[in-house]
Amino acid sequence: MSLKQWGIGWLCCSALLLTACRVVDLDENGQPIIPPDPNAKASFANQTPAQIAQQTWNSKVLTPAQSHALDSTALKTRAANANNESVFVKVQGKVDSVSLDNERERTLTVTVNDQPLQVQVGPMIRGNAIRDATGYKFEDFTNQVQFAQLSKAYNREAVKHLPKVDESWQQQPVTLVMAVTMRNGALSNAAAISLERGKP
């Protein structure tokens, strides 16, 4: 290859490389700011469970719970064959009773498919029903402690959005959206997500 041909080839390669490059902004530390890949899986590696719960409450909990919650009939069918599965449920009915024995763990009882169901309304909520009903899997997180603590963070976030329940709620009509865990036809760990009084 002659010197002239080599020079032309070098110029062509340089032009191609330059057109393929793009200028990126730098952050305060001089590191390139790379825009996120829209197809990349969400990463929670640098977030606390509380931050995840706050940022995803509407998108992962409230909106799906209100728009895709099972009604009593669908719940009965689904629960019959479920083993340790959590789902969102919406029921309308009457509060049969309110338990205030433990100020930290208040519950109300509603009838679902002819069975009484205790629903946790805070200020402390136990269990993984809310987290698991969102569809999150362990594989979505690189830190198993973070995944475990997300349940507590979601439970605390739920309480922030609930009205305080007292004796005046007894025998009142309510619309209740909750997360519940199904095991061999039985319901457990029911946790309120939204609660409205006075709706038949």
Side-chain angles (χ1 to χ4, degrees):
M1 178 183 287
S2 70
L3 185 61
K4 184 177 180 181
Q5 290 174 322
W6 185 90
I8 292 172
W10 184 85
L11 284 173
C12 290
C13 288
S14 298
L16 284 172
L17 286 172
L18 287 172
T19 56
C21 294
R22 62 185 173 130
V23 177
V24 297
D25 295 325
L26 302 179
D27 64 17
E28 64 273 10
N29 298 316
Q31 299 299 315
I33 300 173
I34 301 173
D37 180 356
N39 299 316
K41 186 170 72 171
S43 173
F44 303 118
N46 298 318
Q47 293 182 289
T48 66
Q51 289 172 329
I52 298 169
Q54 290 168 4
Q55 292 177 17
T56 63
W57 178 255
N58 285 333
S59 63
K60 294 291 287 186
V61 179
L62 193 60
T63 299
Q66 291 178 335
S67 58
H68 301 299
L70 303 178
D71 61 16
S72 298
T73 303
L75 175 64
K76 186 174 183 178
T77 302
R78 184 92 163 256
N81 300 309
N83 184 22
N84 200 26
E85 178 186 358
S86 296
V87 293
F88 295 122
V89 179
K90 182 177 182 178
V91 296
Q92 292 181 316
K94 185 177 65 176
V95 176
D96 298 327
S97 63
V98 175
S99 174
L100 307 176
D101 295 339
N102 185 336
E103 282 291 318
R104 296 286 301 155
E105 299 180 16
R106 296 180 177 212
T107 62
L108 57 80
T109 301
V110 295
T111 299
V112 179
N113 294 324
D114 301 319
Q115 296 293 323
L117 178 65
Q118 280 196 335
V119 182
Q120 303 173 83
V121 292
M124 181 179 289
I125 291 177
R126 299 182 183 275
N128 303 323
I130 296 176
R131 182 199 67 191
D132 293 347
T134 65
Y136 280 130
K137 303 296 182 188
F138 174 79
E139 298 78 30
D140 295 329
F141 299 83
T142 55
N143 185 324
Q144 63 180 353
V145 175
Q146 183 189 54
F147 181 63
Q149 290 180 342
L150 185 60
S151 282
K152 292 180 180 179
Y154 268 135
N155 293 346
R156 285 192 293 266
E157 189 66 24
V159 173
K160 294 179 185 178
H161 302 275
L162 295 173
K164 185 175 181 180
V165 173
D166 55 28
E167 295 92 340
S168 67
W169 285 73
Q170 291 188 143
Q171 303 302 309
Q172 294 298 307
V174 292
T175 297
L176 169 66
V177 179
M178 60 185 164
V180 64
T181 300
M182 307 174 295
R183 290 187 182 92
N184 301 320
L187 307 179
S188 63
N189 292 327
I193 292 169
S194 71
L195 180 62
E196 294 181 73
R197 182 160 59 174
K199 302 233 176 169

